[in-house]
Amino acid sequence: MDLAASVTRQLARVVSPTGGGSKQLYFLAFVAVFTLMISFSSPVFVQSGPYLAGLILLALTTVAAFAVPWRRLPSWCGAIIPVLDIVAVGLFRDVLRTEASAVSLLTIIPALWLVARLRIPGAVIATVCVAAAIAGPALVRSAPDLTSTDIARALLLPFTVLQVGLLAAGALKVLDGQARRMTATLQEKEELLEATASWERLLENILDSVPVGIVVVDREGDDVLMNRTQKAFHELCSPTDLHDPEESQLLLRYPGTATAIPPEQRPVRRAVLQESFSNYVISAGPPGQAGTKFSTSARQILDRHGNRDGAVVVFSDVSSYVDAVRAQQQFVAAVSHELRTPLTSVIGYLELAMDDEELPEGAAGYLAVANRNAEQLLTLVQDLLHDQITRSTVDGLELRRHRVSLIAQEVLESAAPQAEKSGISLSGDIEESPVMLVDAKRLTQAISNLLSNALKYTPRGGTIRVRCRVVESAVEVSIIDSGIGMSDQEQTNLFTEYYRTETARSSPIPGHGIGLALTRALVLAHGGQISVRSTPGTGSTFTIRLSVDRVSTS
């Protein structure tokens, strides 16, 4: 393998337009072999003065090709070696004449070297040299009986050298242009690579300086970028016995619960499954500890053709924010609770005063206004207290379990008057469920929230169906309505606290965006799952799925 590579390099030196020493040495060796062959049959030619002079000239030219520092001289000096070669071939041709006229073709080799070095000027120089060294002596020998045939025969070789030289010069010109373009292209690529590397370093520095974790995955779901903050987050979520766990092995839980997030519901996996979402809150750390809470968001990456090319997921540590909000909630709840007691007493005494039959007419009006405002203030305080209790419940649920069957039928019966009043057809398809160890009040609250939403967002004349069935080892409760429906993006953020769809916000339907977040927390606390399928304008289906085995043994 090394020998073949060495031979290839040597041949490359021979045919290249540079490196005269190697080419001259091979040319001398070729002429030596040629001379040896002639010496066996016609030694008289080899022993003649002109032939020996040609050999000596070639030998001296070869020594000069190696000894002279041609690279330090002007480029035209490189034409001296091939010109001397043509002169030497002329001496050989003058000796051999018609006995070996093919020796004239040896001039093609140095002629091509001249073209390779000087292009068209080299072709002209080669033609002139061949005419002087080969054609000139032939014409002199033919005088004075010179004919047109003799002239044509003598000029044939110079003309051939000129044509070959011009063709070679033209081909080399094309190659020169291609080489220049290639060089320019390579230079542009190097500049682009350098600029890309510079931008990559800048991007890495920027990403490492931001206080949020960033993960970028390709279209197959493999990590292609993870900044320094995210690496720290990843280590925080990693089990102690695993060095580099996958996302499915990380210690990720639903906030306020000990329930691990299923692999397909984890942020990066959701992004790989082509979901885009915002403010998806998760908790990291071992169960039984408060853990660190992260707000996660994901967006899909599109290439210039609009095709999906991966996704970027952002993790923000919101633990301090959650703690501050919780402290604020506790403060508001305490204040609300303290205000409710005296307000209740004030309203009670106002009502007693208004019941006094001897009360002056004007005073009765004043008391009525005071009572109405006191009741309004009490309503506001109760709403504040209810909101704080609800949010506190979402953050840390305490279940009181009893062995009961699911109460879908009771919820259906409770909602029937409201459905009739709203002009909505309410029906049930309820199978008997097995007895499970659950918090009946909490599950009633969860199903009631879903049914209440269905009633709010289904227009008059619509339909709602409550379906309860046993599927394999799980109980499924579905609320199916023909309401306004939701888009895919709205479904993504639906279970986020205080989130309301655009249609809901623009309608007069009341709501604060808490019910579904609470419902989800209630279901997760029972080890269950909640899902939604919806199409804008055609309705929605909310499904609660509880594993019989898991709930019964919780």
Side-chain angles (χ1 to χ4, degrees), residues 347-359 364 367:
I347 292 173
Y349 279 104
L350 286 173
E351 290 176 349
L352 289 175
M354 287 188 296
D355 290 339
D356 188 355
E357 296 179 357
E358 298 179 358
L359 192 67
L367 290 175

Side-chain angles (χ1 to χ4, degrees), residues 142-336:
S142 299
D145 300 325
L146 189 65
T147 65
S148 59
T149 302
D150 296 330
I151 297 173
R153 185 183 296 114
L155 295 179
L156 180 60
L157 183 61
F159 180 75
T160 301
V161 169
L162 178 63
Q163 291 299 312
V164 172
L166 292 176
L167 289 173
L172 289 172
K173 183 179 180 180
V174 173
L175 292 177
D176 288 343
Q178 292 178 347
R180 285 193 297 270
R181 289 192 294 272
M182 185 176 295
T183 301
T185 301
L186 290 175
Q187 185 176 358
E188 290 178 0
K189 287 184 177 180
E190 289 179 358
E191 293 175 354
L192 287 174
L193 287 174
E194 180 61 29
T196 301
S198 177
W199 277 105
E200 183 178 357
R201 291 192 296 271
L202 177 61
L203 177 61
E204 289 178 354
N205 291 331
I206 292 175
L207 292 179
D208 285 341
S209 66
V210 297
V212 297
I214 299 175
V215 179
V216 179
V217 296
D218 58 20
R219 65 185 64 186
E220 284 77 27
D222 298 323
D223 293 347
V224 295
L225 185 150
M226 183 183 293
N227 71 342
R228 185 181 304 167
T229 305
Q230 182 57 29
K231 291 178 182 177
F233 289 169
H234 189 81
E235 184 176 354
L236 176 67
C237 305
S238 300
T240 55
D241 56 341
L242 292 178
H243 173 62
D244 186 20
E246 299 178 353
E247 190 190 27
S248 59
Q249 299 171 316
L250 296 177
L251 303 175
L252 300 181
R253 298 173 285 111
Y254 290 109
T257 73
T259 305
I261 301 177
E264 67 277 2
Q265 291 296 322
R266 301 192 171 201
V268 176
R269 185 58 184 167
R270 289 180 62 184
V272 172
L273 296 176
Q274 304 185 23
E275 287 189 45
S276 293
F277 53 87
S278 299
N279 195 28
Y280 179 52
V281 180
I282 61 174
S283 183
Q289 299 181 10
T292 304
K293 291 181 174 59
F294 295 101
S295 174
T296 64
S297 302
R299 293 293 181 270
Q300 299 301 310
I301 301 174
L302 304 179
D303 60 18
R304 61 189 183 91
H305 301 294
N307 299 320
R308 180 182 176 275
D309 198 31
V312 57
V313 188
V314 178
F315 290 73
S316 301
D317 185 350
V318 293
S319 299
S320 59
Y321 170 77
V322 171
D323 292 341
V325 170
R326 183 178 291 111
Q328 182 184 22
Q329 293 170 2
Q330 293 174 350
F331 172 75
V332 173
V335 172
S336 300

Side-chain angles (χ1 to χ4, degrees), residues 389-409:
I389 293 174
T390 300
R391 294 185 62 182
S392 176
T393 302
V394 174
D395 287 339
L397 289 170
E398 295 181 2
L399 302 182
R400 298 180 179 179
R401 300 176 184 267
H402 303 280
R403 293 191 175 276
V404 295
S405 297
L406 285 191
I407 28 60
Q409 183 65 42

